[in-house]
Structures are given as C-alpha cells and as structure tokens.
Amino acid sequence: MRIGQSGIVTLVALLALFGAATLSAQEDGGGGSFGTSDGPRGLKWTGGNMGSALMNPGENCVACHSAGEGPRFTAAGTVYARLDEKSLDLGVQGAMVIITDAKGKVTKLQTNKSGNFFARYAKFAFPIKAKVEYKGQTRAMLGSRGSANCAACHTQSGAGGAPGRIAIP
Ligand code: HEC
Ligand code: HEC
C-alpha cells in the first residue's frame, strides 16, 4: 500500500496530538487515591506505589525512580505549606520552582495537586540555584547545590543542613 503525502501529514498530526495529550495527563496528575490527614491540606496520598505524578509527596522521587521503575527525573521534589510536614501529606498546588543552573539556564517547574514537581529531560550544569515563587512572593535557597534531587535534603526534619521541606514564602 502506498500512503499519500496527505496521509502522512494526517498521521504526523495525530501522533503530535496523541503525544501532547499523554504528556499533559502525566504532568498534570494522573490518578491516585487520597485519605484524610491532619496536615494543612487535610489530605494525604494513600495510593502506595501506584505510578502517578501525584504519588508519594515528600518522598525521595529520584532515589526510587533511578532504582529501576518509573520514569527517570533530573530534578524532583514537593513544595509544602510548612517546613516540617509529614511525607505523603499533600503539599501546595500552583507554586513555581525555578532552578537556575551554573550556566544561567532557567528551568521552571509548576507544582501539581500533591505539591509535586519534576523534570524528566531538563539538563543542569551544577551547581544550581533554586527558589520558589507563590502568589507573587519568593523564597530562595541562598547557597548553590550540586544536586537537583531536592527531596533528598528537604525532608521533614531536613538533611544535609536544609531547614526541612521546601516551603512556600
Ligand atoms: C517508593 C518508590 C517511589 C517513590 C518514592 C516515588 N515513585 Fe513515582 N513511581 C514509582 C514506580 C514503581 C512507578 C511505576 C509504576 C507503574 O509502572 O505502574 C512510578 C511512576 C511514576 C510516574 C509515571 C506515572 C505514569 O503515568 O506512568 C510519575 C510521574 C511519578 N512516578 C512521579 C513521582 C514523583 C513526583 C515522586 C516524588 C514526589 C515519586 N514518583 C516518588 C515508585 C516511586
Ligand atoms: C544537597 C542538599 C540540598 C539539595 C539537593 C537542595 N537543597 Fe535547598 N537547601 C539546602 C540547604 C542546606 C538550605 C539552607 C541554606 C541555604 O539557603 O542555602 C536550603 C534551602 C532552600 C530553600 C530556602 C529555605 C528557607 O526556608 O528559606 C529553598 C526554597 C530550597 N532550598 C529549594 C530547593 C530546591 C527547589 C531544590 C531542588 C532543585 C533544592 N533546594 C535542593 C540543601 C539542599
């Protein structure tokens, strides 16, 4: 069978449409299951390791994902309302994480319903700087860091000298 030029154009357009739809579904959420929590959002993730952009807020996304399952991330973490929130509690939606790498390249990542943010393909020259913007205000990391695995240091009690979670201003 011979596919005409218009057939190829249609095929390419369909593929582009399908690709765009898949991407937004992954970045905006995917499914999940949630239960009540005493945290500020009143909700926590109860979906276990069900693959979703909303999964396991507060946990070390990159560590798990680089161990085999799930997509690889070059940067990831969760933005919370407070510095000392528990893992699995939902963080803050609609915050913007802004990473500036050693060459001045800026990458912006918006938090989803769980407060999660992640980059799959962005490449960073280290060390990086990072800040969070929310409702016109900014909270910046003062120093530069040699990793974009934000959740590794920004745990509930803070690791590697971090004051705790990444929190909104
Ligand atoms: C305890 C391990 C673990 C942690 C921690 C974890 N994930 Fe996952 N993630 C997985 C596994 C396993 C899959 C693949 C599941 C599957 O294929 O059904 C996955 C899949 C995903 C996917 C792909 C979903 C899809 O539609 O295909 C996204 C996006 C994701 N995780 C985001 C995150 C984010 C963001 C974090 C951190 C806030 C995180 N994950 C933390 C284990 C983890
Ligand atoms: C290797 C550990 C480490 C990594 C990785 C890391 N941070 Fe930090 N972060 C720190 C430390 C230590 C501080 C406190 C000192 C400072 O501000 O430099 C901090 C502070 C911050 C603050 C300001 C906290 C406050 O309460 O004022 C923000 C915001 C922040 N980090 C965001 C991020 C983001 C976003 C990422 C990922 C792109 C990230 N951090 C990766 C260690 C880390």
Side-chain angles (χ1 to χ4, degrees):
M1 192 186 76
R2 199 176 149 272
I3 306 174
Q5 198 183 357
S6 70
I8 290 171
V9 170
T10 311
L11 189 67
V12 168
L14 277 174
L15 282 173
L17 256 179
F18 180 70
T22 312
L23 191 71
S24 66
Q26 284 171 344
E27 312 300 44
D28 294 349
S33 82
F34 305 93
T36 55
S37 135
D38 54 9
R41 283 284 303 278
L43 284 174
K44 68 179 175 196
W45 169 260
T46 54
N49 289 339
M50 172 205 294
S52 164
L54 305 178
M55 76 188 303
N56 292 336
E59 295 199 339
N60 191 330
C61 324
V62 171
C64 226
H65 282 223
S66 50
E69 284 180 283
R72 285 182 178 264
F73 295 145
T74 57
T78 307
V79 175
Y80 277 106
R82 297 190 313 224
L83 287 171
D84 63 347
E85 263 175 78
K86 292 191 293 282
S87 281
L88 303 185
D89 274 7
L90 301 201
V92 176
Q93 182 168 22
M96 187 71 83
V97 172
I98 302 170
I99 301 172
T100 304
D101 83 355
K103 291 180 178 160
K105 194 181 78 177
V106 177
T107 301
K108 296 187 175 190
L109 304 167
Q110 181 132 28
T111 60
N112 62 24
K113 177 185 172 183
S114 285
N116 289 346
F117 60 90
F118 50 91
R120 281 166 204 251
Y121 308 112
K123 291 210 170 84
F124 304 103
F126 292 100
I128 52 150
K129 290 183 173 295
K131 61 185 177 184
V132 179
E133 267 180 22
Y134 187 68
K135 297 194 170 165
Q137 291 186 292
T138 302
R139 186 165 183 154
M141 179 157 71
L142 301 177
S144 299
R145 299 287 177 278
S147 160
N149 180 4
C150 316
C153 297
H154 291 280
T155 59
Q156 185 179 13
S157 53
R165 300 298 187 187
I166 300 165
I168 51 170

